[in-house]
């Protein structure tokens, strides 16, 4: 894709919003190929395989549930496996097309109550219209289980010294594996999902749908920009040296999203997490109408603000006090507790 991608100045939002996104022709084929591969086996699950079913799966604990987001996070095990799995089930938003298809005689309709002009029903749409977004982390580490569990949250106000004395030693010793990031950058995984790539070693990055997004509707668009350069762990590592890279991501990331999904830049919330979960620098692009998890003020730093702050002061993020939330069972929380900060 070209560097020249430009976003047209104006586009009526009716044309772009809440539309179903047609699946790319080769997408089905590649996903199907992976599933067929597993279906051809005896059904056992290798750590890195695409699984074929949840047959024999034992749920051991409900880690979290959210009736507003209509999601539930479960801990469990496959058969007699000794390894934990985290499964996230989530009902997804409706698209106009899907809703229309549901209101046909292919759906089973059961009346629950009827009174005068009022009626409530249960509608059982045909299988294809009724998919649940399902995310599986297998094998899941203790850190994953902690991340997805419902626990007490505490707001940390981290000074530059706290960062050096408490946070930095933690993130040098305890971190999620970045294998999935390197798999993307080395084109070993999710190759068919790449939306855009800039191969430059210093300023380059890749753009792809975030794991949280099923790419069905632009209403809950969630795209990720992953820098090529390694070693930038968090906002704290950024200086003015990184400005060309950050500006590059801002401009080309927006253009790539426009080109692929026809969502204009002024409909995007573009931000960086502090604290992130994964210490390889990346940028979140979400639709402004979507209340994306992690887009609150205690975690999201707008990319334009980050650029502006670094333009004013190259050492801004080295010197600033930054706030973020830690969870009770997170080891970083324990470190701040030991330091008497919680
Ligand atoms: O800022 P933070 O570290 O929390 O964000 C990491 C983002 O990476 C989250 O929004 C995750 O949903 C996303 N993510 C995590 N994993 C393991 C993957 C993955 O394997 N593929 C993709 N596309 N996104 C991921």
């Amino acid at each position: 894709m070209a560097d020249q991608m430009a976003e047209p100045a104006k586009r009526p939002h009716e044309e772009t919003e809440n539309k179903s996104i047609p699946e790319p022709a080769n997408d089905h084929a590649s996903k199907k190929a992976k599933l067929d591969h597993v279906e051809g086996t005896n059904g056992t699950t290798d750590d890195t395989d695409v699984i074929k079913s949840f047959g024999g799966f034992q749920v051991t604990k409900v880690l979290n549930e959210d009736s507003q987001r209509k999601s539930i996070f479960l801990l469990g095990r496959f058969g007699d496996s000794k390894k934990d799995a985290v499964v996230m089930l989530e009902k997804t938003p409706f698209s106009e097309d899907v809703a229309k298809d549901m209101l046909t005689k292919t759906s089973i309709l059961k009346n629950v109550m009827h009174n005068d002009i009022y009626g409530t029903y249960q509608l059982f749409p045909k299988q294809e219209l009724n998919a649940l977004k399902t995310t599986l982390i297998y094998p899941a580490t203790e850190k994953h289980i902690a991340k997805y569990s419902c626990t007490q949250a505490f707001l940390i106000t981290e000074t530059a010294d706290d960062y050096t004395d408490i946070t930095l030693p933690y993130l040098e010793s305890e971190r999620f594996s970045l294998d999935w990031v390197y798999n993307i950058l080395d084109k070993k995984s999710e190759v068919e999902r790449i939306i855009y790539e800039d191969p430059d070693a210093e300023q380059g990055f890749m753009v792809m749908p975030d794991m949280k997004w099923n790419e069905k509707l632009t209403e809950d668009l969630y795209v990720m920009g992953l820098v090529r350069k390694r070693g930038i762990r968090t906002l704290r590592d950024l200086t003015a040296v990184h400005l060309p890279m950050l500006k590059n991501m801002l401009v080309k990331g927006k253009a790539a999203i426009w080109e692929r999904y026809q969502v204009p830049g002024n409909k995007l919330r573009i931000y960086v997490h502090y604290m992130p979960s994964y210490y390889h620098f990346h940028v979140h692009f979400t639709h402004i109408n979507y209340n994306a998890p992690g887009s609150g003020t205690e975690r999201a730093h707008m990319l334009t603000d980050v650029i502006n702050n670094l333009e004013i002061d190259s050492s801004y993020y080295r010197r600033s006090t930054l706030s973020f939330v830690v969870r009770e069972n997170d080891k970083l929380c324990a470190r701040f507790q030991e330091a008497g900060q919680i």
Side-chain angles (χ1 to χ4, degrees):
M1 243 185 284
D3 292 354
Q4 313 86 314
M5 282 187 310
E7 187 186 297
K10 187 164 164 261
R11 179 166 170 122
H13 88 255
E14 291 78 11
E15 282 177 45
T16 62
E17 291 210 280
N18 307 346
K19 294 284 180 208
S20 303
I21 299 168
E23 283 200 30
N26 67 351
D27 195 34
H28 258 320
S30 62
K31 280 180 193 152
K32 175 97 175 38
K34 280 191 213 155
L35 286 168
D36 284 346
H37 162 71
V38 175
E39 274 161 19
T41 70
N42 61 9
T44 54
T45 313
D46 251 351
D47 289 356
T48 52
D49 264 339
V50 172
I51 63 147
K52 101 176 178 190
S53 92
F54 280 100
F57 188 81
Q58 300 285 327
V59 174
T60 51
K61 191 175 178 190
V62 174
L63 298 176
N64 204 349
E65 55 191 313
D66 185 332
S67 57
Q68 268 200 326
R69 287 191 189 276
K70 298 183 177 52
S71 63
I72 187 162
F73 297 175
L74 302 159
L75 179 68
R77 292 192 172 173
F78 284 97
D80 44 17
S81 165
K82 299 271 178 287
K83 295 175 183 170
D84 286 317
V86 170
V87 182
M88 292 169 256
L89 301 176
E90 198 180 334
K91 296 196 180 182
T92 51
F94 291 99
S95 73
E96 191 179 325
D97 301 347
V98 166
K100 280 181 182 162
D101 277 357
M102 285 179 170
L103 301 183
T104 61
K105 59 175 190 198
T106 59
S107 298
I108 295 167
L109 191 62
K110 287 193 179 163
N111 179 252
V112 177
M113 139 345 226
H114 181 248
N115 183 350
D116 189 30
I117 58 172
Y118 305 100
T120 59
Y121 297 84
Q122 275 194 304
L123 186 81
F124 301 91
K126 59 182 177 184
Q127 201 170 309
E128 310 83 274
L129 302 176
N130 217 2
L132 287 182
K133 182 172 183 267
T134 305
T135 308
L136 169 68
I137 303 177
Y138 177 72
T141 63
E142 256 182 58
K143 228 168 137 22
H144 288 114
I145 298 168
K147 176 174 158 96
Y148 293 107
S149 296
C150 174
T151 49
Q152 260 205 81
F154 301 97
L155 189 81
I156 299 289
T157 308
E158 180 201 63
T159 62
D161 285 345
D162 291 338
Y163 173 71
T164 314
D165 299 341
I166 306 170
T167 310
L168 191 56
Y170 157 82
L171 62 88
E172 277 168 352
S173 64
E174 300 274 346
R175 57 170 85 176
F176 278 130
S177 159
L178 293 176
D179 287 353
W180 69 273
V181 172
Y182 302 142
N183 283 345
I184 292 175
L185 295 176
D186 297 341
K187 298 211 179 157
K188 290 182 187 159
S189 299
E190 301 189 53
V191 183
E192 72 283 3
R193 284 158 52 84
I194 298 171
I195 298 167
Y196 173 76
E197 61 179 310
D198 176 338
D200 189 90
E202 287 300 310
Q203 296 177 23
F205 65 106
M206 275 169 141
V207 180
M208 61 209 330
D210 190 281
M211 188 169 83
K212 291 199 190 84
W213 189 37
N214 64 5
E215 252 194 304
K216 300 280 183 225
L217 290 177
T218 54
E219 193 190 27
D220 60 347
L221 179 143
Y222 201 138
V223 168
M224 177 178 58
L226 212 53
V227 296
R228 287 200 169 275
K229 200 173 164 62
R230 299 187 183 193
I232 309 170
R233 294 163 298 201
T234 72
L235 266 189
R236 290 271 188 206
D237 288 331
L238 293 176
T239 65
V241 168
H242 303 108
L243 281 169
M245 176 193 84
L246 298 172
K247 290 179 182 174
N248 195 40
M249 289 182 89
L250 182 66
V251 172
K252 291 184 188 164
K254 282 199 278 191
I257 290 170
W258 168 257
E259 180 119 316
R260 173 64 68 94
Y261 304 113
Q262 287 74 57
V263 175
N266 60 9
K267 294 273 173 191
L268 295 173
R269 184 192 296 111
I270 306 171
Y271 54 96
V272 176
H273 276 160
Y274 193 78
M275 280 293 165
S277 308
Y278 301 94
Y279 302 114
H280 174 101
F281 191 72
H282 54 274
V283 171
H284 301 258
F285 298 79
T286 60
H287 198 290
I288 47 164
N289 292 349
Y290 173 46
N291 182 16
S295 59
T297 50
E298 75 283 18
R299 197 163 183 213
H301 295 248
M302 298 292 275
L303 183 56
T304 45
D305 294 351
V306 172
I307 291 172
N308 187 48
N309 291 337
L310 291 173
E311 275 174 339
I312 293 170
D313 178 358
S314 173
S315 62
Y316 184 91
Y317 289 102
R318 308 236 148 146
R319 296 169 49 206
S320 290
T321 293
L322 298 174
S323 298
F324 59 87
V325 166
V326 285
R327 302 232 148 235
E328 199 179 12
N329 52 359
D330 188 324
K331 289 196 175 141
L332 184 56
C333 179
R335 299 225 181 181
F336 273 90
Q337 264 162 342
E338 281 160 25
Q341 303 255 11
I342 294 176

